[in-house]
Amino acid sequence: MSHEKLQWQLTDYAASVGMDNIQLDKNGYCCLNFKEDLLLNIQWHKNSERVVFYIHCGVLTEDGNIEIYRDLLGANLFWQDSGGATLAVDKESNEVWLMDKKLLASFDNVNDFSRYITSIVNIAEQWQRRLTSQSKVSSIGYRNNLLSKTAPHWAFA
């Protein structure tokens, strides 16, 4: 039933913002393209009744200094600059991600869902700008493989 509720939320959201109809794939995944370099990935996990949201914010340069890591960690402290989501760096690829997981039941209606999407997208956009202005990213866009990348199993623990 909840998979259908998420699909309903996505359909209503798409209609409210003038997007084409959004469909979850057979794995409960979809990706919303807000800009060329801002893609919101959404993944349904039925066992936990949670929705995982994640956005790629950039790839840190190899010579990135400790200051950017302090900024990212500081943003996560009581979620003061992450809007309740979590910022993280993939240690193998140096990719910066903003991610969150929510119980589907926490979205009572399409307005709650829409406000949440607006919020997480705005936060990711702010971090993309911040990382770019500090010249700590080698790229923002993550076009290759993004549409096929789904949240790893540990995202649902």
Side-chain angles (χ1 to χ4, degrees):
M1 176 60 183
S2 292
H3 181 276
E4 291 80 16
K5 181 180 177 184
L6 177 57
Q7 184 59 62
W8 170 77
Q9 294 279 15
L10 288 165
T11 299
D12 279 2
Y13 173 77
S16 73
V17 297
M19 284 183 166
D20 290 336
N21 191 24
I22 303 164
Q23 291 292 317
L24 294 169
D25 70 11
K26 65 181 179 159
N27 298 314
Y29 170 82
C30 71
C31 181
L32 307 184
N33 189 350
F34 288 91
K35 292 181 177 181
E36 181 179 326
D37 58 359
L38 206 153
L39 301 162
L40 173 61
N41 299 273
I42 300 173
Q43 178 79 48
W44 167 247
H45 190 259
K46 70 178 182 179
N47 292 338
S48 66
E49 299 265 324
R50 293 184 189 274
V51 184
V52 176
F53 301 88
Y54 54 106
I55 301 174
H56 187 261
C57 295
V59 180
L60 296 179
T61 59
E62 290 296 324
D63 64 343
N65 63 29
I66 196 167
E67 203 58 38
I68 193 61
Y69 290 100
R70 292 176 80 133
D71 288 350
L72 292 166
L73 284 170
N76 286 329
L77 181 65
F78 299 112
W79 310 277
Q80 60 190 350
D81 285 331
S82 65
T86 300
L87 285 155
V89 178
D90 182 310
K91 67 181 178 181
E92 294 177 14
S93 64
N94 285 340
E95 294 167 339
V96 178
W97 291 90
L98 177 68
M99 61 198 90
D100 200 2
K101 61 183 177 179
K102 297 279 191 191
L103 284 169
L104 184 57
S106 67
F107 302 113
D108 291 331
N109 55 54
V110 73
N111 291 331
D112 292 343
F113 191 72
S114 180
R115 275 191 297 274
Y116 176 79
I117 288 176
T118 299
S119 174
I120 196 165
V121 166
N122 286 342
I123 292 162
E125 193 171 34
Q126 290 168 6
W127 274 99
Q128 284 181 343
R129 281 194 307 267
R130 189 170 176 178
L131 292 169
T132 302
S133 71
Q134 293 178 355
S135 300
K136 299 301 178 198
V137 292
S138 58
S139 66
I140 293 293
Y142 186 72
R143 302 299 288 167
N144 298 336
N145 265 345
L146 183 62
L147 296 177
S148 64
K149 187 169 183 131
T150 57
H153 63 82
W154 46 259
F156 306 113

